[in-house]
Amino acid sequence: MQILGLIEVPNWLVYTTLGTVAFYIYGMWPYSYWKKRGINGPRMLPLIGDLPSFMRLGFHGKMVEDFKLYGKVHGTYTLRSPVLVIGDTEMIKQVCIKRAENFTDRGSLGNETKPLDKGIAVLKGHEWKRIRSILSPTFSSGKIKAMFPLVEQCSDQLCNALVKSSNESVDIKTFFTNFTMDVVASTLFGLQINTQDDPNNDFKRHGSELFNIKLFSWKFLSLMLFPKIAIPLFKRFEITLFPKESFDFFQKVIHDALVEREASADSDKYHDFLASMVVARREAEKEGAKGLTEHEVMAQSLTFFLAGFETTANAMQYLAYFLAWNKDCQDRAYREVLEAKANHGGQVNYECLKSLRYLNNCFEESMRLCPPALLTDRVCTETTTVNGYEIEKGINVRIPIYCLAHDPEVWEEPERFNPDRFDEDSAESRDPTYLIPFGLGPRNCIGMRLAQMEVRKAMAEMLLKVEFQTLPETLPFEKLEFKPSGFLTVKSPIKLKVVPRSSESSD
């Protein structure tokens, strides 16, 4: 091929050049969005955005770096989609509370396909409002209190397992994942499985498989890179990210449990979420509203399982870790539990947990340092101006939970474990929006109270039975390395020593 009749250029070179230019234009086309609007942000690479930076620094490291370089409000992208990052607390309140009607939806990434497509975490608009209103009563204080005996039984099994492993180097999270698996099985499905004694049971095996989603599998990459094409195809052919065998297992568990509860005139006697959802469906239908279909119940059940299993185990792991590194804090929390137990008839009952102010401070501080979810988001459903920033319909707004909780302008020595910063006087003088591990506003975590009760009960019982200690191989906080994901998960297991307390001191 001749160019301008002067130079003979091989056809392959022309086509390669044109293909390269076309790929570059296609790959870079969306990345002018924030620049046109005068909003700073990191530079992007064609098609993959700043994914290499996230892989290099980790999700939390990348967010912190962007905060320092581009400010508390800046523009970035999730692959090719524009994202407005807001770390300004007044803007966060506008988005999550005051103007929440214009930010009702949350972003989704692969979980809008079956079986999670009807889950409360990804539903939008009126569908979300309907499901949330039906589910809210199942998470009331009365329902949580009714589930307390189930959590108590799982806590006893956890303590027994820890005592058996005492004076050894243990991967502490293993015990906590077994505990949260048992809690999910009992509070959600009404199953007693005791994973501490039988770690290879079918529920644990299939439950673990649900989390074994490969980030670089063709399914996940298709949803990430070409969502508008992949999502309809996945729905049309019922392709799921989950292993079929494990999905079928939980589908049968949920179906069988639903049939049993539907056949019972008193579903409340089961004290689990499936029974509560059956009751909620009946109540909705009595009032002429649409109840939950089996598909919707399946979606909620798996959503609660995925949201409450791994994240709660992580939260417990970090709390035990920080108490091990801060013996004075652990001793103070232990003495508080001991005294509270004596004041409540020798029981760490539901009311007793409410009096554990210092233990709660330790939990809050652990969640501040290591929030299980690094961010939350909202999708703008109606073009809205917030604090001078016009946010167009369809734009994803990211709220960086981790950055808020580590802001040196708000938290003195933000990388130090200091539960006293949550004393009443200190807490009242601080904007609570800087600590939102469970989200904020109408779309916050619906299971927040159950998770809090679960962790406090288990930790109170553990403190009475054992003491957590560090080992030579236990890395200090500043040396921990985390996986590059939206959840704060350590690359290597945290090893602790578990030392049993004398029976006299825990009685």
Side-chain angles (χ1 to χ4, degrees), residues 44 62 120 123 158 248 256 264 343 372 374 386 427 439 464 482:
M44 301 289 125
K62 173 61 175 168
I120 192 171
L123 286 176
L158 168 61
D248 289 345
D256 292 348
S264 172
N343 292 337
L374 298 173
V386 179
L464 292 173
F482 301 96

mmCIF file of all heavy atoms in Angstrom, residues 44 62 120 123 158 248 256 264 343 372 374 386 427 439 464 482:
data_model
loop_
_atom_site.group_PDB
_atom_site.id
_atom_site.type_symbol
_atom_site.label_atom_id
_atom_site.label_comp_id
_atom_site.label_asym_id
_atom_site.label_seq_id
_atom_site.Cartn_x
_atom_site.Cartn_y
_atom_site.Cartn_z
ATOM 1 N N MET A 44 -5.194 7.071 33.735
ATOM 2 C CA MET A 44 -5.643 5.719 33.427
ATOM 3 C C MET A 44 -4.841 5.101 32.283
ATOM 4 O O MET A 44 -4.323 5.817 31.422
ATOM 5 C CB MET A 44 -7.122 5.732 33.042
ATOM 6 C CG MET A 44 -8.055 6.278 34.107
ATOM 7 S SD MET A 44 -8.241 5.165 35.513
ATOM 8 C CE MET A 44 -7.773 6.266 36.856
ATOM 9 N N LYS A 62 -4.048 2.098 47.609
ATOM 10 C CA LYS A 62 -4.354 2.930 46.448
ATOM 11 C C LYS A 62 -5.304 4.065 46.814
ATOM 12 O O LYS A 62 -5.127 5.218 46.399
ATOM 13 C CB LYS A 62 -4.967 2.056 45.343
ATOM 14 C CG LYS A 62 -5.480 2.826 44.124
ATOM 15 C CD LYS A 62 -4.399 3.611 43.415
ATOM 16 C CE LYS A 62 -4.940 4.251 42.156
ATOM 17 N NZ LYS A 62 -3.998 5.241 41.594
ATOM 18 N N ILE A 120 -30.921 -8.270 48.331
ATOM 19 C CA ILE A 120 -31.149 -6.900 48.770
ATOM 20 C C ILE A 120 -29.954 -5.999 48.484
ATOM 21 O O ILE A 120 -30.094 -4.788 48.333
ATOM 22 C CB ILE A 120 -31.495 -6.880 50.279
ATOM 23 C CG1 ILE A 120 -32.022 -5.500 50.689
ATOM 24 C CG2 ILE A 120 -30.307 -7.317 51.123
ATOM 25 C CD1 ILE A 120 -32.586 -5.466 52.086
ATOM 26 N N LEU A 123 -30.510 -5.067 44.480
ATOM 27 C CA LEU A 123 -31.798 -4.599 43.960
ATOM 28 C C LEU A 123 -31.840 -3.082 43.886
ATOM 29 O O LEU A 123 -31.178 -2.388 44.668
ATOM 30 C CB LEU A 123 -32.947 -5.103 44.843
ATOM 31 C CG LEU A 123 -33.302 -6.586 44.701
ATOM 32 C CD1 LEU A 123 -34.386 -6.956 45.695
ATOM 33 C CD2 LEU A 123 -33.735 -6.918 43.285
ATOM 34 N N LEU A 158 -16.978 -22.588 70.252
ATOM 35 C CA LEU A 158 -15.747 -21.881 69.898
ATOM 36 C C LEU A 158 -14.771 -21.879 71.068
ATOM 37 O O LEU A 158 -13.574 -22.182 70.888
ATOM 38 C CB LEU A 158 -16.087 -20.444 69.488
ATOM 39 C CG LEU A 158 -14.924 -19.453 69.355
ATOM 40 C CD1 LEU A 158 -13.942 -19.909 68.283
ATOM 41 C CD2 LEU A 158 -15.455 -18.052 69.037
ATOM 42 N N ASP A 248 -26.195 -25.836 44.085
ATOM 43 C CA ASP A 248 -27.291 -26.805 44.189
ATOM 44 C C ASP A 248 -27.483 -27.266 45.634
ATOM 45 O O ASP A 248 -28.612 -27.481 46.083
ATOM 46 C CB ASP A 248 -27.024 -28.015 43.288
ATOM 47 C CG ASP A 248 -27.151 -27.681 41.811
ATOM 48 O OD1 ASP A 248 -27.722 -26.609 41.493
ATOM 49 O OD2 ASP A 248 -26.664 -28.464 40.974
ATOM 50 N N ASP A 256 -35.720 -27.095 51.314
ATOM 51 C CA ASP A 256 -36.232 -28.032 52.321
ATOM 52 C C ASP A 256 -36.640 -27.302 53.599
ATOM 53 O O ASP A 256 -37.675 -27.612 54.206
ATOM 54 C CB ASP A 256 -35.180 -29.098 52.646
ATOM 55 C CG ASP A 256 -34.930 -30.048 51.473
ATOM 56 O OD1 ASP A 256 -35.730 -30.025 50.511
ATOM 57 O OD2 ASP A 256 -33.938 -30.795 51.520
ATOM 58 N N SER A 264 -45.548 -25.311 58.893
ATOM 59 C CA SER A 264 -45.771 -25.096 60.323
ATOM 60 C C SER A 264 -46.704 -23.903 60.533
ATOM 61 O O SER A 264 -46.555 -22.860 59.901
ATOM 62 C CB SER A 264 -44.440 -24.845 61.020
ATOM 63 O OG SER A 264 -44.632 -24.463 62.366
ATOM 64 N N ASN A 343 -22.599 -9.231 87.885
ATOM 65 C CA ASN A 343 -23.758 -8.350 88.088
ATOM 66 C C ASN A 343 -25.013 -8.833 87.375
ATOM 67 O O ASN A 343 -26.085 -8.249 87.551
ATOM 68 C CB ASN A 343 -23.425 -6.927 87.626
ATOM 69 C CG ASN A 343 -22.387 -6.263 88.504
ATOM 70 O OD1 ASN A 343 -22.208 -6.639 89.668
ATOM 71 N ND2 ASN A 343 -21.675 -5.294 87.950
ATOM 72 N N PRO A 372 -13.845 -4.347 57.728
ATOM 73 C CA PRO A 372 -13.929 -5.495 56.808
ATOM 74 C C PRO A 372 -14.150 -5.078 55.356
ATOM 75 O O PRO A 372 -13.551 -5.624 54.439
ATOM 76 C CB PRO A 372 -15.122 -6.288 57.354
ATOM 77 C CG PRO A 372 -15.168 -5.940 58.799
ATOM 78 C CD PRO A 372 -14.762 -4.495 58.870
ATOM 79 N N LEU A 374 -13.733 -2.011 52.680
ATOM 80 C CA LEU A 374 -12.945 -0.784 52.565
ATOM 81 C C LEU A 374 -13.754 0.390 52.043
ATOM 82 O O LEU A 374 -13.356 1.544 52.219
ATOM 83 C CB LEU A 374 -11.756 -1.024 51.632
ATOM 84 C CG LEU A 374 -10.765 -2.091 52.106
ATOM 85 C CD1 LEU A 374 -9.734 -2.366 51.013
ATOM 86 C CD2 LEU A 374 -10.080 -1.652 53.383
ATOM 87 N N VAL A 386 -24.406 18.317 44.517
ATOM 88 C CA VAL A 386 -24.074 18.150 45.932
ATOM 89 C C VAL A 386 -22.824 18.969 46.240
ATOM 90 O O VAL A 386 -21.751 18.711 45.682
ATOM 91 C CB VAL A 386 -23.827 16.663 46.278
ATOM 92 C CG1 VAL A 386 -23.459 16.513 47.762
ATOM 93 C CG2 VAL A 386 -25.042 15.815 45.937
ATOM 94 N N ALA A 427 -16.089 10.687 71.722
ATOM 95 C CA ALA A 427 -16.975 10.290 70.626
ATOM 96 C C ALA A 427 -17.980 11.395 70.299
ATOM 97 O O ALA A 427 -18.294 11.629 69.129
ATOM 98 C CB ALA A 427 -17.703 9.005 70.996
ATOM 99 N N GLY A 439 -21.759 1.060 56.765
ATOM 100 C CA GLY A 439 -22.440 1.946 55.840
ATOM 101 C C GLY A 439 -23.248 2.997 56.574
ATOM 102 O O GLY A 439 -23.155 3.148 57.797
ATOM 103 N N LEU A 464 -13.135 -14.684 79.005
ATOM 104 C CA LEU A 464 -13.282 -15.389 80.281
ATOM 105 C C LEU A 464 -12.538 -16.715 80.299
ATOM 106 O O LEU A 464 -12.146 -17.192 81.362
ATOM 107 C CB LEU A 464 -14.767 -15.645 80.571
ATOM 108 C CG LEU A 464 -15.625 -14.412 80.871
ATOM 109 C CD1 LEU A 464 -17.091 -14.808 80.970
ATOM 110 C CD2 LEU A 464 -15.165 -13.714 82.148
ATOM 111 N N PHE A 482 -1.835 -7.043 52.898
ATOM 112 C CA PHE A 482 -3.222 -7.371 52.596
ATOM 113 C C PHE A 482 -3.391 -7.719 51.121
ATOM 114 O O PHE A 482 -2.655 -7.243 50.264
ATOM 115 C CB PHE A 482 -4.131 -6.194 52.961
ATOM 116 C CG PHE A 482 -4.053 -5.807 54.414
ATOM 117 C CD1 PHE A 482 -3.218 -4.787 54.839
ATOM 118 C CD2 PHE A 482 -4.819 -6.490 55.350
ATOM 119 C CE1 PHE A 482 -3.140 -4.450 56.177
ATOM 120 C CE2 PHE A 482 -4.748 -6.147 56.693
ATOM 121 C CZ PHE A 482 -3.907 -5.124 57.109
#
